[in-house]
Amino acid sequence: TIHFFYSPAWGPTFDTHTDPVDVIIDCHDGIKHMEVNGTEHIITPGGAMLLIPAGTPHRALNYEKALIASHGINDTETLSNIR
C-alpha cells in the first residue's frame, strides 16, 4: 500500500506507533524529520529513502512542511528488489 501525507510546518502528527509491515518513507517535497527508535532521521527529495522495519517504534516530527509517500511492504520479495 502507498499513502501520501502532506504536513505543514508544525502540523498535527501521529503519536509514536509501530506498523505490522516494513515501511519505506520517500520525501517528494520539503524536508521530513522522522524519529525511529529514538533516533532522528532527515529525508529530503532525491535523497535516500528511510526503511522502517515492521514492529519498530516511530513517529513523524513535523518541523517543516513536507509531502511524503509511505510505502507499506508486506512481502520479502518486493523488499529484496528495492534494496
Side-chain angles (χ1 to χ4, degrees):
T1 61
I2 299 174
H3 299 275
F4 279 88
F5 294 99
Y6 172 77
S7 301
W10 304 104
T13 187
F14 297 111
D15 288 333
T16 300
H17 64 281
T18 61
D19 290 297
V21 298
D22 295 318
V23 174
I24 295 172
I25 304 296
D26 183 16
C27 186
H28 290 265
D29 186 51
I31 299 173
K32 191 61 172 182
H33 298 254
M34 296 288 299
E35 184 179 271
V36 181
N37 261 343
T39 301
E40 186 174 339
H41 300 267
I42 298 173
I43 307 122
T44 59
M49 292 182 264
L50 177 65
L51 171 63
I52 304 171
T56 303
H58 63 279
R59 68 184 178 127
L61 304 169
N62 294 333
Y63 299 142
E64 303 178 53
K65 75 171 182 76
L67 174 65
I68 65 152
S70 175
H71 306 260
I73 310 295
N74 63 357
D75 67 90
T76 56
E77 181 180 345
T78 298
L79 194 56
S80 295
N81 289 335
I82 292 171
R83 288 183 182 167

